Amino acid sequence: MSPKAMARPGGRSARVQEAVHAAVRELEAEAGRASLTVPAVAARAGVTPSTIYRRWGDLHELLSDVAVERLRPEEPPADHGSLHTDLEAWARQFLDEMASPSGRAYIRDALLGDPDGSNAGQCSAYAADQIEVILGRATGRGEAAPDVEAVMDHVVAPMMYRILFQPGRLTASYADQLVQAALAAPVPPD
């Protein structure tokens, strides 16, 4: 994806991005994936195809940009009162959303149109930000907590591997086991 597409645009640029993203979502909902072409998206969004090509490069990069936006969490993770419960609830929700047919499609789109890895990095940052909130609350309550990278390595990474390559065992129990492993890992010293 081009650097212009990663930045949060303002003004006309923001309106164009929102119109194009909405056009992608609408066309896909109405007529399926096969209806997604740059000319069709441009016509629906009220822009020229050259606007899309200039900003996104090609259809894959546009779909990648839309997917990254769709994978952005809408709310902070819920506070259930303890690190274990917060992290378990978040892991179950993350697994459920990412392993769903739409979640898997968004992951594929985000990676397919991502030649420089910036979209994958943004998706990783979304998960890390959510985990950071959970861990920050835990330390605020006086609980010992692993660092963000340990949770990413013990919870998010194995989930994503299985979602992409071995979609069996994608259950709440699996998420719980990963959280147990993350919480059993040594806590880094302050």
Side-chain angles (χ1 to χ4, degrees):
M1 176 185 334
S2 70
K4 290 187 279 186
M6 277 304 291
R8 281 220 172 258
R12 181 184 185 288
S13 188
R15 289 189 300 276
V16 167
Q17 179 175 331
E18 180 50 40
V20 170
H21 280 212
V24 168
R25 292 187 303 268
E26 291 166 7
L27 285 169
E28 188 170 19
E30 291 170 9
R33 195 84 167 155
S35 68
L36 298 177
T37 65
V38 170
V41 171
R44 175 65 64 98
V47 300
T48 64
S50 64
T51 298
I52 293 175
Y53 289 122
R54 194 171 41 256
R55 181 164 181 152
W56 285 280
D58 63 21
L59 183 62
H60 291 302
E61 289 187 38
L62 170 58
L63 294 177
S64 184
D65 191 41
V66 171
V68 169
E69 191 61 34
R70 297 295 299 265
L71 291 169
R72 177 188 310 270
E74 295 178 8
E75 302 174 355
D79 186 347
H80 299 281
S82 75
L83 173 58
H84 181 266
T85 309
D86 287 356
L87 194 54
E88 199 170 74
W90 179 85
R92 286 177 175 198
Q93 180 179 354
F94 182 82
L95 181 61
D96 187 52
E97 290 173 2
M98 294 298 116
S100 71
S102 62
R104 290 171 53 91
Y106 292 141
I107 292 167
R108 283 190 302 273
D109 283 345
L111 297 175
L112 184 61
D114 188 25
D116 65 1
S118 61
N119 286 346
Q122 185 60 52
C123 292
S124 178
Y126 293 158
D129 290 348
Q130 293 268 297
I131 292 165
E132 192 170 349
V133 168
I134 292 168
L135 300 179
R137 283 194 305 238
T139 56
R141 290 188 293 256
E143 295 177 84
D147 65 15
V148 172
E149 286 302 311
V151 176
M152 294 292 286
D153 289 346
H154 287 90
V155 178
V156 177
M159 279 186 191
M160 292 305 294
Y161 178 84
R162 286 199 179 269
I163 288 166
L164 292 171
F165 302 114
Q166 294 180 331
R169 260 187 81 193
L170 298 177
T171 63
S173 176
Y174 175 64
D176 296 349
Q177 291 170 10
L178 294 175
V179 168
Q180 285 299 112
L183 295 178
V187 176
D190 288 335

